[in-house]
Structures are given as C-alpha cells and as structure tokens.
Amino acid sequence: MQLLNAQTLARLSGVKLRARAVMEGVLSGLHKSPHQGQSVEFSEHKEYAPGDELRHLDWKAFGKFDKFYIKRFEHETNLRAVMLIDASASMGYSSGGLSKLEVAKVLAGTLAYLLVRQQDAAGLAVTHGSSCSDLPPRSAAGHLTTLLETLEGLSPQGTTDLAAAADHLAEKVTRRSLLCVFSDLFDDRPDGLRRLLQLRARKNDLAVFHLVDPSELSFPFDDPTLFLSMEDERRLEVNPREIKQSYLEELGAFLAESRKACAEADVDYELVRTDEPLDSVLLRFLARRQGRRR
Amino acid sequence: MTFANPWLLLGASAALVPLLVHLFDRRRPRPHPFGAISFVLRSQRRTASRLKLKRLILYCLRTLILLALPVALARPEWRREVGASASARGPAATSIVLDSSLSMRWSDGKSLFLRGREEAREALRDLLPEEPANVVLCGPLVSPPPPPTSDRAQLRAQLDEAEPSYGPSDLVRCMELGARSLEESPLPSKRLVVISDFTQGSLRLEAPPPTVAGPKGERIRPEVVLRDAARGEQALPNRAVVDLKVEPALQVGPRAFQFTFTVRNFSSEPVKDLEASLKVEGQVVAKGFLDISGGGTAQKSLTHRFDSGGLFTGEVSISADALAEDDRRAFVLNAPKELRALVVNGSPSTVRYRDEAFFVEAALTAPGSPLHAAVRDVDSAFREDFSSYQVVLLLNVPAPTKEQSERLGEYVRQGGSLFLSMGDNVAPETYNQRLGAVLPRRLRDVKTSVDPSELDAAARAAKLANFSSEHPVFTPFTGRAREGLMSSRFYRYVLLEAEAVQKGEIGAVLATLEDGAPAVAVAARGRGRVMLFTSTVDRDWGDFAIRTSFLPLMQRFCAFLAGSLDEREEHRPRVGETLSLRLPKEPEVERVASPSGGEVPLSSEPDGPVQVGPIAEPGVHTAFDSSGRPLAAFAAVLDPSESDLTRIRREELTQHFGEDTVRTAGGQGAERKAPFWTWLIVAAAAAFLLEGVLLRR
C-alpha cells in the first residue's frame, strides 16, 4: 500500500496547514508566535515613541529620512503535532475497501508529511487496548521516514481504551501540541471519549477523525447472521432485518452524541467514511481549520 | 358441522408446517465479525420482547392461513341438531309447500313469489338423489298433492308453471296435506319444506304443527324447514283499499253517487298526499289526496254524477306500492234509469194536502228521485197510453170499468207494474170482480181499528208489526229508520183474503199490522208486478203519509215494481269465494268471464241460483248468455287480510315448531348470507396481508 499517493499530495500541496492557536515553538515557520521581536522576519516600521526599545531603532531609516523608526518583527514558531492512532481490533473491520485502521494510517501519514514539509514536528502515538506506544514529535526529514515505517507496521489488535490513551498522552505531551485522534470511538467504557477531550483543557489543540465503515452506517444485512465481536468473545445470532431500525437509531444517537461532545469541548470533529476519497477528507479538515483561524 | 369435500381436510395438516419449521429449522447463520457489535447487542435487547410477540403473531397467522384454506375448500356447513338427526336417520321423503297467496305478489323489483320459486328449486336441488319429493302450491284452492316422486323434471316443470294467486292461503292446511302425502312414502324420515313470506295471515300459529303417521301408527312430527321468501326483511310496507261503499248522492243529482273508500296503511311510516282516483269505464273522473298515519286508516269520498242510467264498471285506486293488486277496488254500478209513473188520483181535492195524490206526488218528485210522476184524475188517466209508463198507481180509485180493467190487466201481463192503495172510494167486492186477475189477494172488508176523532185514537191505532226486511223494498229500513216505519198509525185498512182472486200465484205479504192483517202484498202477474197497500197514501186512514219513511218507501215501491231495485242488488264476492247469482231463468247464463278473459266455473241447480266460482281474480266479472249478450256483472274484491304484511317473528315460528328450523333464503342475491367457508377464505386472505405487513416492519 502506498500511504502517500501522488494524487493526494498534489491536491494538498497548495494548502497551508496552520495551527488554530498560537503555540510555542523553537523554529520559525508559518505559524504566528505570540512572542513578537524574536524572529528575523521584518513585519513593519513604526514611528518611535518614548518607551520603545532603542535596540529596535532602524538607523538606516534615520539616515534616509532623518526620523526615528522602530523595526517590528513577526516571529514564527514550530508546530508540534501528535497523531494518535486507535489500533484496536475493531479498527480492522472492513466491508470491502480499506479498513478503518488503514484509512487512519493514510490520513495520519499524509498529515505528518505535510507538517514535516513545512518544518513542523510530527509525532505518533498508538493505542492497543490499555498499552500505548509513541514516537515523539520531530521535524527532521528522517523522522518522517521512521514515522511512516511505524505506521506501516501497525496491525489491529486488542480492545479500544481511549481513557488509557488519554492518560498516556497527558503524560507524554508536555508542550502545547496539535493532537489528531484517529479512531472509531467504539469504547465500551463510558468516559473514554470524555477523558480524551480533556486534553483540550491542557491548552492542546485537538482534532478527532471518527472513522466509520459504510456497513456500520447502513447495516445492509438481510439473512440471519451470527455477529462476532472483534475485540472479545461476544457473539449474537440475529435476523438483521428485525433489528435494523433499532440499530440505526442506536448508532445515530452515538454519532450525534460524539459530535456534540466534541463541539462542547471546542474540538474539531470529522466523520470519515472509509469509502470516501481521503484527499477530500483532508481538504475539508484543513479548510475548516483555516477558516476558524481567520 | 358437515363438509362437502371432507377429504380436503387432509390439507389442514399443513397447519403443522410452521411448528415443524420452528422446531427443526437449524440453518447455520453466516458468521460475521463486526466492529459495532455493541450497537447490535443493544438493539437486540431493546427489541427482544417486541420481536418475540411479533414472531408469535406470525406463527399464528401462518398457521391460520394453512389451516383455513383447506378447511374452506372442504366447504363446511353448520347444521342444526334437527338436521343432524334427520341426516342421521337417512334420506327423507320431502314435501315442498310453496305459498302462492296474494301477499307473495309483493315486489321490490322481484316478487316474493319469484324468490320463493327460486327457494323451491334450490330446496329441490339440495335433496339427495334417493329422496322423493312433491310440491304443494298453497293458494286459496289447494288439492292434495300426489305421492312423493323421484321425477325431478316433473317437479321442476310444476314449479315453472306455478303462478301466484289473488287470494289468501292457509299454510297449516297445506302442510297437513303435504304431511299426509308423505305418509305414502316408504321412507321412515319425512320432511316438510315450507316457503312463504310468513305474514300474519299466512300461518295460524294457534293450530298445532303438522304430524305424520309413524312406523307403528303413532303421530310424529316431521322435520320442518322454513325458507323465508322475504329473506329476513323485518317489515313489508303496504297500503291497501280495504273497503268501498257506493251510495247515492241525492244532493248532487238523481244519478250522482258517492264512492267512499277506506285505505289502510299497514306500515309504521305515515303517508302524505297519497293520490286517490276514481275511474269509470276506464276514464278518470275524480281525483283526491289523503294522508294516513303509520298503521292507521283513512277514508276518502269521491262523487260522480252519471249522465244516463245503466250499468257502469269502474274502480277506485290509490298510488301503487309494492303490492299493487290491493291498491285498487273495482265496482259495478247500476245508475238508475228514469222511470215514468202515472199517478191516478181517485180523490182529488182543491185543498192540496187533502188531495189523495198530494203526498205521493211529493214523494216521487223529490230531489234525487229517478221517477217522473204524471198525476191524472180517473177519466184522464184511463185515456192515457199505459205502455209509456213503467208504473201505474191507482190511489183510492173507484173500481174501473170492465174495459178499463182489461186494459190494466193486459198492461201488467206485458210487463207493466201496478200499485194500488185503498180508500173510501174502493169497494172490495167490485175490485175483486174487475181487477181479480191482477190483485195479489182478494179484498175482504174494510176494518176500522179506531175512530180517528177519538181522544186516544193515536194510542189505539193499528201499527205495523212486522215487515220482510230481506225484501229489496225494505232492506234500508234498519235501526232508527225501522222504528220510524213501525210507528206509523193506521186507523182503517182493508183486510185481505188468504188466497188469490183467480187461479194464479198467491201474492206475498211483505208487511203486516199488529192484528196480522197484511199491510203490503205483492205478486207477479205475467211479466209485470202488482203491489197492494191496504190503507191510504194520504191522511184519511192513517198518518203513514206524513212519516219520514213514506218518501223512501214510495220511491222503493215504484223502483221495485219497475224492476230497478233488482238491478241495484250488488254482489261483491271475495276472491276464492263462490257467488250465488240470481238471474232470470230466461235467457240462461252461458259463461262468466273473468277480468283477464278466462272463464269462471259455473254450476246451477234446478230452480236455484247460478253458482259462480270459485272466483280467482279481483275485478269485474261479466255473465253472458249463449248469444254473447251480457246479462249481469259483478266485481270481485280481495281479502283485506292478505294486505296485512306484518311478519311473524322468527321467535314465534321457532316456538311454534318447537325447534329453530327457520332457514334464511338460499337464493342468489346480495341479501344472501355468505356461507361459512367464504369467511374462512376472507380470514386467510386477511392473515396473509397482515403477515406481509408484519414482515415489512
């Protein structure tokens, strides 16, 4: 599988990924820093007024115009982004095309590529059940290769434990970062998503990519079916036609609840069907973030 | 319950299929790992109870479908206990009694009789091949049916030829005849199928149900199946002309008549503005409207004046309803011809009220009288041509001469009529000599009961003791009119001998006085009639002339003598009856034609009346002589009891026959009750639809 297909990258090349909030960074980049004056990027001239720092006085301008002008600079920072991949067994479900995990890997890899390309730092966190592994954010080109190889090696296993992933990220991400969560959110624990959204309270920027298979959305089964759980031993023999209406109501309520929880926590929420074009998913996401920044 | 195709019940075992499928269906469902299984589990928990109920309903519906269809195809039929026992006894000899009374002509587009005939055909079809049957057509005249036969074609032909009658029927009698005919069948089981509208007049519930002789001679009740030709209709609305009176309307004219007819509404709904009309000789001559309350009666009078005398036929009618036959009533009417009477005044007087002819002239020329009186003194009278008068009245006339007497005798023998009243000018012996050939009886003496000048003359005067109320002259004198006539006082009168003057028929005494002396005697002489009144017709010998009965009685004396009272005799036989028709011996009645042109049976005894009938149709019947000349006519009327279409309640029938044997109509039509098996098919179809709906939900 080619994670970063040329077509997708070509359509995303004109897009500037900008963080919504001002973040601390060491390296200058495309992202605006709240600390003016530390960058070498000239911004504008301002007529001197008492109190201004004399070290910013533009002597060349004084020589030309015989007036004092203060030079002002717009300092740029680096963005730190961490891609949290839910690699539980339910993410391996596929009704024909890409599985949810595969889609998550493509989306996370593409975003990491874009970030590193504009010299931002991209990291990776993977959750399998209660255990988590991570790759710290870096902006080096070599790091991107490592990150992509790690993504390539992921396989679905274990249960979904969003609370454990949230705890892990809270411990590891000490600086303000963009956290992109790729998951189907099928966590039987009632507070999993809520714990994850609490990371927003720690000044992190959070985006949730909710991955859903088309069959999970439409429940297109007719014949009596023995449904097997992908994460545990649960199983159920049922006539799908008899419960279809009820299932769709339950799932609709879950999706609505997830969207509402994200909105209340000021978190970007993107419902991703695994059969829709991924470039359009990313374009929609980036366009929304750019719009929010303005 | 019985089944027409019992072997098809084997198909009902298909009802076990859903159960077997439920028990043994072990198809392995396709396993499918699914990420969102939590939602599947939650949905299943949420819908589990509803699905359980749905599955149970589906199971029941499928079982119902698979059970109902084969049972319906087997064509089940509910049969009462009676039927069940009858069928258990084997084939039964059957008598089909079909009511053909007038009420069966009631029609709402299709007459009850046609429906009844269909019922009879169906009853015939329902019989087993080994069951013999006969048909009893139950009308006003019913004859014992032949023994039951297996010749179905003959029975069907008999039904095809059957027609409803115009008279009443007696179902009890018909059932008895049918039951008796069944006794001739060797089959032990007997059955009576009675097809009627079951109106109040058709069945006498006070009579016991029919019985047949059992194997040991004991009386047993046959199976009775009642088929309702009215197909359960609660009420059969009807109104009818139930009575008609035709009376002279003297206030309108001498030949005016008032037709008063009674209309009864047998339904509970009131009728407004019901049109009534009077037809004479096919022409509507008067119309009117009447309102009748529900279940009530109303009278209407229509008047018509005839321009000339003679025999007229006609009918009164109301707007036709479902039973049109009783909405009209025919009549035959003799409008009086003008009679010329010659009044011979034997004691004229210049004082009018003392004139012998004063009261007679006043009576004969009163308004409405058909008589035209010519008053003459004795000399003038005997110069008249008697043949131009129908009646000659000799009032206190001295005995005519021999020549005059011969003229009078010849006049009477040729058909003229003579009326004689007594008085002081009458000499009995001379009368006997001159007019002995025509007098009803010999005159004897003049008797004085009391001198009118005496104080208590009124109390001691002779009065009428008796009169022949059946004679046409005296028939109207009943009640108060009779009292008025009987209170007339006679101070003097002529006694009569007990024999005729000469060889001949002795005159009949129509009225007698208290001492037994005749007051009125009458005799036929040749082709004429002679009447003798033994007192005076003025106030000389009594006060009869000033009594109210004097006027009508004098008019009737003259009408009788002229023969027009005989013509006024009305015959109104009912359909089904036999009429005794008194007609002159010459010419003899050859035939009597019914309104439809058919001939009515005739029988006659020597010197007796002609027996006409039984009459089968309502309307005007005409008697003809051998040359085709009409001799007499009469109007037959319907029995009003047949117009009452109040139905006997099913409970009453059940109570009467002891068991619930009433079967509703089995013919075709919208009112026919759907058989049980059709409901099974409907139930199966409904279950099929419901199952489809449930499966889609």
Side-chain angles (χ1 to χ4, degrees):
Chain A
M1 182 183 69
Q2 182 66 41
L3 288 179
L4 305 174
N5 64 68
Q7 192 180 2
T8 305
L9 294 177
R11 294 179 69 171
L12 290 173
S13 61
V15 178
K16 301 286 189 180
L17 181 65
R18 298 176 185 276
R20 187 181 53 173
V22 179
M23 310 186 67
E24 291 184 7
V26 177
L27 300 175
S28 300
L30 295 173
H31 307 281
K32 187 178 267 185
S33 169
H35 309 291
Q36 276 192 344
Q38 292 185 358
S39 171
V40 294
E41 186 85 8
F42 173 72
S43 174
E44 59 184 351
H45 276 108
K46 171 184 174 289
E47 202 164 347
Y48 174 78
D52 288 339
E53 285 194 36
L54 288 177
R55 61 185 179 127
H56 292 153
L57 202 61
D58 189 344
W59 296 108
K60 286 184 180 177
F62 175 72
K64 286 181 182 176
F65 305 111
D66 200 19
K67 282 187 178 177
F68 295 106
Y69 288 97
I70 298 295
K71 289 171 78 175
R72 303 190 70 175
F73 300 91
E74 192 175 89
H75 287 227
E76 301 293 329
T77 64
N78 275 348
L79 173 68
R80 295 168 61 86
V82 176
M83 312 293 155
L84 172 63
I85 304 288
D86 173 11
S88 66
S90 65
M91 286 290 285
Y93 179 72
S94 165
S95 60
L98 296 177
S99 70
K100 290 184 278 188
L101 181 60
E102 287 165 338
V103 170
K105 288 194 276 188
V106 171
L107 291 175
T110 306
L111 283 176
Y113 178 84
L114 289 171
L115 288 166
V116 172
R117 184 171 171 268
Q118 62 185 21
Q119 298 181 350
D120 288 330
L124 179 67
V126 179
T127 172
H128 306 272
S130 57
S131 65
C132 288
S133 59
D134 62 85
L135 199 62
R138 289 196 184 126
S139 58
H143 178 69
L144 179 63
T145 307
T146 309
L147 189 147
L148 292 177
E149 284 175 356
T150 307
L151 283 176
E152 190 70 52
L154 289 179
S155 61
Q157 57 183 311
T159 60
T160 305
D161 191 348
L162 295 178
D167 292 344
H168 179 77
L169 287 180
E171 183 184 339
K172 293 291 182 184
V173 179
T174 54
R175 299 173 62 183
R176 296 173 65 177
S177 302
L178 168 64
L179 303 179
C180 295
V181 180
F182 300 89
S183 171
D184 55 10
L185 306 181
F186 290 164
D187 188 352
D188 290 335
R189 298 168 187 81
D191 60 342
L193 181 62
R194 187 176 54 80
R195 293 275 293 276
L196 201 60
L197 295 177
Q198 282 173 354
L199 293 172
R200 178 76 177 96
R202 300 166 70 100
K203 304 295 184 186
N204 294 303
D205 196 2
L206 202 60
V208 174
F209 289 84
H210 191 172
L211 301 164
V212 187
D213 189 272
S215 293
E216 293 170 337
L217 281 173
S218 61
F219 206 64
F221 309 103
D222 288 326
D223 297 328
T225 306
L226 177 62
F227 288 102
L228 305 172
S229 173
M230 301 176 76
E231 297 183 358
D232 52 30
E233 296 305 314
R234 290 179 298 174
R235 55 174 54 206
L236 177 67
E237 182 183 335
V238 73
N239 186 344
R241 280 183 299 189
E242 293 177 341
I243 63 161
K244 180 174 182 176
Q245 186 61 34
S246 174
Y247 169 87
L248 293 178
E249 288 172 6
E250 289 281 347
L251 185 73
F254 167 71
L255 294 178
E257 192 180 338
S258 301
R259 185 187 294 276
K260 184 182 173 189
C262 291
E264 287 174 350
D266 195 20
V267 170
D268 285 340
Y269 175 85
E270 198 68 41
L271 181 67
V272 181
R273 287 173 60 107
T274 57
D275 60 344
E276 65 180 315
L278 298 181
D279 50 356
S280 67
V281 173
L282 286 176
L283 285 171
R284 192 167 68 230
F285 170 68
L286 295 174
R288 184 184 298 163
R289 289 190 67 85
Q290 204 164 24
R292 287 178 66 178
R293 184 169 180 249
R294 287 194 190 104
Chain B
M1 181 185 277
T2 59
F3 295 90
N5 307 310
W7 55 272
L8 284 175
L9 286 176
L10 291 174
S13 56
L16 294 172
V17 170
L19 180 65
L20 296 175
V21 168
H22 175 73
L23 292 176
F24 299 106
D25 182 28
R26 285 291 175 261
R27 280 186 302 163
R28 295 183 66 82
R30 190 169 57 87
H32 186 83
F34 194 56
I37 193 170
S38 299
F39 300 102
V40 178
L41 285 165
R42 240 177 279 167
S43 304
Q44 202 275 339
R45 275 197 297 273
R46 215 175 86 178
T47 57
S49 57
R50 189 166 59 85
L51 287 176
K52 200 171 178 180
L53 179 64
K54 180 181 166 183
R55 284 197 194 104
L56 182 64
I57 293 173
L58 280 174
Y59 169 78
C60 293
L61 290 175
R62 287 164 181 163
T63 305
L64 174 64
I65 293 168
L66 293 171
L67 185 64
L69 284 177
V71 173
L73 290 174
R75 297 191 64 178
E77 185 182 353
W78 294 109
R79 188 169 285 189
R80 306 270 179 195
E81 200 174 327
V82 175
S85 62
S87 60
R89 291 199 303 266
T94 303
S95 185
I96 298 172
V97 179
L98 174 58
D99 185 0
S100 66
S101 62
L102 169 68
S103 60
M104 292 289 280
R105 288 179 178 265
W106 190 91
S107 169
D108 57 353
K110 189 175 188 181
S111 75
L112 295 181
F113 185 78
L114 288 180
R115 293 181 188 172
R117 190 154 63 180
E118 287 174 3
E119 290 285 330
R121 289 189 185 119
E122 189 174 308
L124 210 54
R125 278 197 301 273
D126 289 347
L127 295 180
L128 298 174
E130 61 272 25
E131 289 182 326
N134 62 13
V135 173
V136 182
L137 196 62
C138 191
L141 300 172
V142 56
S143 51
T149 173
S150 296
D151 187 352
R152 296 284 194 270
Q154 178 198 333
L155 297 174
R156 276 194 294 272
Q158 192 179 347
L159 287 174
D160 290 343
E161 291 168 5
E163 290 292 338
S165 69
Y166 289 94
S169 63
D170 184 354
L171 280 179
V172 173
R173 165 80 178 140
C174 295
M175 280 192 283
E176 281 174 4
L177 290 174
R180 207 172 298 158
S181 71
L182 294 177
E183 292 175 357
E184 299 181 42
S185 169
L187 290 177
S189 299
K190 320 286 183 190
R191 181 190 301 129
L192 280 173
V193 178
V194 185
I195 302 156
S196 171
D197 53 5
F198 297 108
T199 55
Q200 295 287 350
S202 62
L203 192 62
R204 286 181 286 117
L205 292 179
E206 66 275 13
T211 57
V212 294
K216 297 172 183 173
E218 78 280 13
R219 303 306 296 179
I220 57 170
R221 284 164 61 174
E223 176 192 356
V224 178
V225 178
L226 305 183
R227 283 177 174 255
D228 185 6
R231 306 195 171 171
E233 284 197 40
Q234 289 302 309
L236 302 174
N238 185 38
R239 50 183 183 266
V241 178
V242 294
D243 191 27
L244 169 64
K245 281 182 182 170
V246 184
E247 295 169 316
L250 299 178
Q251 69 278 14
V252 180
R255 276 181 295 276
F257 285 86
Q258 179 172 281
F259 299 80
T260 304
F261 52 98
T262 306
V263 180
R264 183 163 180 195
N265 181 10
F266 290 98
S267 66
S268 56
E269 293 295 318
V271 181
K272 287 187 73 67
D273 298 330
L274 182 68
E275 187 178 295
S277 59
L278 168 65
K279 272 187 191 173
V280 174
E281 298 297 334
Q283 299 290 322
V284 177
V285 295
K287 269 190 176 181
F289 297 90
L290 65 164
D291 298 340
I292 320 174
S293 59
T297 57
Q299 276 195 334
K300 183 72 183 174
S301 293
L302 296 173
T303 305
H304 177 61
R305 193 174 73 180
F306 294 89
D307 295 331
S308 59
L311 189 72
F312 294 93
T313 61
E315 67 175 23
V316 293
S317 61
I318 55 175
S319 303
D321 58 11
L323 185 59
E325 286 76 9
D326 63 2
D327 296 331
R328 55 181 179 265
R329 183 166 281 218
F331 61 84
V332 174
L333 175 68
N334 258 305
K337 297 169 188 169
E338 189 177 74
L339 298 177
R340 287 173 59 81
L342 176 62
V343 180
V344 184
N345 188 347
S347 179
S349 172
T350 52
V351 181
R352 290 200 65 197
Y353 64 88
R354 291 185 182 278
D355 190 280
E356 188 73 31
F358 172 70
F359 294 101
V360 171
E361 184 185 11
L364 300 188
T365 57
S369 169
L371 288 157
H372 178 76
V375 182
R376 301 284 187 271
D377 59 19
V378 177
D379 293 339
S380 303
F382 282 102
R383 287 197 293 271
E384 291 276 342
D385 179 10
F386 293 158
S387 62
S388 60
Y389 297 95
Q390 280 80 35
V391 185
V392 173
L393 298 97
L394 302 181
L395 311 182
N396 191 17
V397 173
T401 63
K402 190 175 179 183
E403 183 192 354
Q404 290 169 339
S405 301
E406 287 175 359
R407 276 187 65 203
L408 280 173
E410 183 61 21
Y411 164 70
V412 171
R413 280 189 293 276
Q414 292 300 320
S417 296
L418 189 62
F419 176 85
L420 301 106
S421 66
M422 303 294 101
D424 294 330
N425 294 337
V426 174
E429 194 57 36
T430 316
Y431 253 71
N432 289 337
Q433 290 172 3
R434 305 276 172 80
L435 293 172
V438 295
L439 286 178
R441 293 193 178 195
R442 285 172 62 91
L443 306 184
R444 198 169 65 187
D445 296 319
V446 175
K447 179 180 178 181
T448 302
S449 58
V450 64
D451 189 340
S453 60
E454 291 185 18
L455 287 176
D456 56 348
R460 293 165 53 199
K463 295 188 179 67
L464 280 178
N466 199 9
F467 60 80
S468 176
S469 57
E470 293 177 358
H471 194 276
V473 168
F474 289 103
T475 46
F477 294 93
T478 56
R480 295 180 64 180
R482 177 186 170 90
E483 291 174 12
L485 178 60
M486 302 294 279
S487 60
S488 301
R489 301 183 188 93
F490 299 94
Y491 306 112
R492 192 172 297 167
Y493 45 92
V494 175
L495 299 175
L496 302 182
E497 299 288 357
E499 70 274 6
V501 178
Q502 292 181 357
K503 184 173 65 178
E505 192 175 324
I506 189 168
V509 174
L510 301 184
T512 56
L513 297 171
E514 289 171 329
D515 59 356
V520 180
V522 67
R525 296 289 182 250
R527 289 167 57 189
R529 290 171 176 168
V530 181
M531 182 176 282
L532 177 63
F533 182 65
T534 59
S535 190
T536 60
V537 289
D538 64 358
R539 298 189 63 186
D540 287 351
W541 286 11
D543 66 356
F544 173 55
I546 60 170
R547 294 283 172 177
T548 53
S549 53
F550 178 77
L551 185 148
L553 195 57
M554 281 308 299
Q555 288 188 359
R556 293 187 74 83
F557 281 157
C558 294
F560 170 72
L561 290 170
S564 62
L565 266 194
D566 297 339
E567 292 168 359
R568 286 186 192 178
E569 188 179 0
E570 286 187 27
H571 301 286
R572 285 191 190 166
R574 284 184 178 175
V575 171
E577 291 179 348
T578 299
L579 173 68
S580 293
L581 200 58
R582 289 185 177 275
L583 292 172
K585 290 176 186 173
E586 295 291 338
E588 196 173 343
V589 175
E590 176 74 13
R591 66 185 181 91
V592 173
S594 69
S596 63
E599 282 200 16
V600 184
L602 284 179
S603 64
S604 59
E605 296 173 1
D607 300 328
V610 178
Q611 300 295 323
V612 182
I615 295 166
E617 296 178 41
V620 177
H621 292 63
T622 311
F624 295 94
D625 64 7
S626 56
S627 62
R629 192 167 61 93
L631 296 176
F634 63 88
V637 298
L638 296 171
D639 187 342
S641 67
E642 275 297 299
S643 298
D644 184 359
L645 303 184
T646 307
R647 307 246 297 147
I648 302 174
R649 288 183 296 116
R650 192 187 178 108
E651 297 76 27
E652 291 177 296
L653 291 172
T654 304
Q655 190 178 2
H656 179 68
F657 289 101
E659 297 154 274
D660 189 2
T661 54
V662 184
R663 186 178 298 175
T664 50
Q668 295 170 356
E671 302 136 50
R672 182 176 175 174
K673 261 191 175 176
F676 177 59
W677 57 270
T678 58
W679 291 113
L680 284 174
I681 289 183
V682 169
F688 185 74
L689 289 174
L690 191 57
E691 192 221 12
V693 170
L694 280 176
L695 283 177
R696 284 175 178 277
R697 291 176 68 87

